[in-house]
Amino acid sequence: MNETNVDWNDLQLFLAVAREGGLSPAARKTGRSPATLGRRMLALEQAMGRELFVRHERGYALTAAAEELLGQLKDVEARLLRVSERAERDERPLVKISAGTWTTLAILRHFDQITGAPADVRLRFLSTETVLDIPRREAVIGFRNRRPSEEGLAARKLSRVEFAPYACPGAPDRWIKVLADTPSARWLEKRVDKDAVCEVSSPRNSLDLALAGRGVAILPTFVGDSETGLQRTGATIPDLAHDRWMVTHQDDRNRPEVRRTIDRLCDVMGQGR
């Protein structure tokens, strides 16, 4: 065996497959898909240069080499579990959440509800108007305005998002433009030439200026309606309405900290129909 070519993650998955007797029960145990487990076991056999399983319809039977490996790994696993348990006590697991400006703002307003009280997860917010690459783990959970088409992603439909114009009472009837690559900014750019009271590069600044009574901002209704100082100055804009989707990787969604965070986000953001 060439130890330098063996991935410890594959050895951990091997333990699950060996103990559960097949890919499907091991998938339920690990949160990985059977297809992923099958690929990783084949890669492990290739790295070790020996056959570990006899594959048949009823499951995976261990070869003599696999029985030997299983015995070798038991002591290693016990030591690693002791180390990981100490690490878990010292540091909460990290979950990276990617969302646009407005969704991030809504989430932060329910921070304690999402982290738990006391907190049992550490959140990292990546607020951006661009779509991060979840398959490459740039984020663990992402929010999007359409259902994802990439392979290996799981999606959950949330409540529908609508936009409307908002301003403080008595504010000038002039638009606050946002110079960003967002649907609402592009919609306003097509309808407003230079007749804007101000231009900002951050969507959040349009809310700040609207709250200061400087003009009219296009805001999602879940943000604008929650601000007591603002009122709608017009109807919702059909062209900007869209579904909101929460997305994660198939291999990550059953990790305990990710599952907890997803369930809490659904409570805060609302489920779609």
Side-chain angles (χ1 to χ4, degrees), residues 12 80-94 119-122 255-257 260:
Q12 290 179 301
L80 286 174
L81 284 174
R82 287 194 293 271
V83 171
S84 65
E85 285 170 359
R86 279 200 303 272
E88 287 176 1
R89 288 195 296 270
D90 295 339
E91 184 176 347
R92 294 182 296 274
L94 173 67
D120 55 16
V121 66
R122 182 164 52 101
R255 286 164 44 196
E257 68 274 16
R260 290 196 301 271

Side-chain angles (χ1 to χ4, degrees), residues 32-182:
R32 303 292 186 93
S33 68
T36 296
L37 289 175
R39 289 194 299 270
R40 298 322 309 160
M41 292 307 94
L42 181 59
L44 179 61
E45 288 178 321
Q46 292 171 343
M48 297 187 66
R50 65 185 68 174
E51 189 176 41
L52 299 174
F53 301 102
V54 177
R55 296 160 173 84
H56 51 73
E57 292 182 358
R58 295 184 303 278
Y60 274 34
L62 302 184
T63 65
E67 294 283 5
E68 180 184 357
L69 177 61
L70 184 61
Q72 293 171 345
L73 289 176
K74 285 181 179 177
D75 290 340
V76 177
E77 180 189 32
R79 290 196 296 270
L80 286 174
L81 284 174
R82 287 194 293 271
V83 171
S84 65
E85 285 170 359
R86 279 200 303 272
E88 287 176 1
R89 288 195 296 270
D90 295 339
E91 184 176 347
R92 294 182 296 274
L94 173 67
V95 177
K96 295 185 289 184
I97 300 175
S98 168
T101 296
W102 305 125
T103 299
T104 300
L105 179 59
I107 294 172
L108 290 175
R109 288 174 173 173
H110 299 274
F111 183 78
D112 289 342
Q113 186 176 343
I114 297 168
T115 61
D120 55 16
V121 66
R122 182 164 52 101
L123 303 181
R124 179 178 298 168
F125 290 96
L126 307 169
S127 183
T128 175
E129 309 308 325
T130 62
V131 176
L132 297 189
D133 193 332
I134 290 178
R136 292 178 179 270
R137 302 312 195 273
E138 291 181 349
V140 173
I141 298 172
F143 288 84
R144 299 185 180 178
N145 60 10
R146 63 177 62 88
R147 187 168 194 157
S149 58
E150 300 98 316
E151 184 179 354
L153 297 187
R156 186 176 296 189
K157 187 178 180 181
L158 302 176
S159 55
R160 191 163 175 79
V161 176
E162 294 187 319
F163 285 75
Y166 288 86
C168 286
D173 187 21
R174 298 184 68 183
W175 293 104
I176 301 166
K177 289 178 64 176
V178 178
L179 305 179
D181 188 19
T182 65

Side-chain angles (χ1 to χ4, degrees), residues 196-223:
V197 68
C198 187
E199 296 179 349
V200 294
S201 60
S202 169
R204 173 56 200 256
N205 292 149
S206 67
L207 172 60
D208 297 331
L209 285 170
L211 288 170
R214 296 296 185 262
V216 182
I218 298 291
L219 302 172
T221 56
F222 68 84
V223 171

Side-chain angles (χ1 to χ4, degrees), residues 18 25 31 38 61 78 80 87 92 113 117 141 155 194 230 242 248 267:
L80 286 174
R92 294 182 296 274
Q113 186 176 343
I141 298 172
K194 295 183 179 180
L230 296 180
H242 63 80
T248 190
D267 289 340

